[in-house]
Amino acid sequence: MAAIRRLGTLETERLVLRPRQVDEAATYRRLWTERDLRVPQHRRIDADGRPTVAEIAGRLKEEPGLLAVHRRDTAEVIGYCGLTGSGSASPDERELAFELLRSAHGRGYATEAGGAVVAWAREAGYPRLWATVWDWNVASRRVLEKLGFHETGAAVAESVHGHSLATVRQF
């Protein structure tokens, strides 16, 4: 495998993906407020309004592999996409993660951003990527399918609202 590199700026026809910045924390908090009520509570805003914008800003350095997704025509930040190592036992395995504001849904942005990250990972020499997705999240399951991920049949987490499914993409 090639040396593991840090994601830099990636560009597509309609998007620019680049390292996230502290001044975008309000947008990332907005993602928390828009999450489906079936998402586990620890991934939603709690009764005390946490995480706050300041807390999210402080966490941005913890996941350097996640990139801000900007629309090229407006420079508006519409979410994030990238690679994270959370839960991985090996530096050769990374998880693809993406989340976009609801106003950006249904336009192919997640597939476009994810495609750029998958192409980068292939060129960087990763042998495979994985992703998890809730069984009820049909839109994200479809994005992963378009990106070449296949469901493994394994559930990595369960809640009263469903199962988090493991998917994999081999190169």
Side-chain angles (χ1 to χ4, degrees), residues 1 9 25 32 49 67 70 81 113 116 137 166:
M1 171 167 157
T9 299
W32 281 71
L67 302 174
H70 292 260
C81 183
N137 191 339

Side-chain angles (χ1 to χ4, degrees), residues 1 3 13 23-24 27 36 49 52 61-62 65 67 75 78 87 99 103 111-112 114 121 126 143 155 159 161 166-167:
M1 171 167 157
E13 182 180 336
D23 64 355
E24 299 162 348
T27 299
D36 191 290
T52 64
K61 292 178 184 169
E62 294 173 11
L67 302 174
I78 59 172
E99 186 175 13
S103 61
T111 302
E112 190 171 331
Y126 287 96
V143 167
S159 79
H161 299 295
T167 67

Side-chain angles (χ1 to χ4, degrees), residues 82-90 92-97 128-133 144 149-150 152 156 165-171:
L83 300 177
T84 180
S86 61
S88 176
S90 166
D92 289 346
E93 290 197 3
R94 292 288 182 246
E95 179 180 8
L96 176 70
R128 74 182 198 154
L129 296 176
W130 58 280
T132 57
V133 61
L144 290 168
F149 284 77
H150 302 283
T152 65
V156 294
L165 307 173
T167 67
V168 67
R169 164 78 157 80
Q170 303 280 349
F171 294 113

Side-chain angles (χ1 to χ4, degrees), residues 25-44:
T27 299
Y28 303 126
R29 187 177 188 281
R30 187 169 148 208
L31 288 167
W32 281 71
T33 68
E34 292 185 355
R35 288 185 177 147
D36 191 290
L37 293 177
R38 295 172 286 186
V39 171
Q41 183 59 46
H42 73 277
R43 297 280 296 148
R44 292 187 282 131

Side-chain angles (χ1 to χ4, degrees), residues 3-23:
I4 296 172
R5 298 180 298 158
R6 184 174 272 208
L7 276 165
T9 299
L10 304 174
E11 296 188 27
T12 70
E13 182 180 336
R14 301 180 299 161
L15 304 172
V16 175
L17 289 75
R18 57 138 184 82
R20 297 184 302 167
Q21 298 175 357
V22 171
D23 64 355

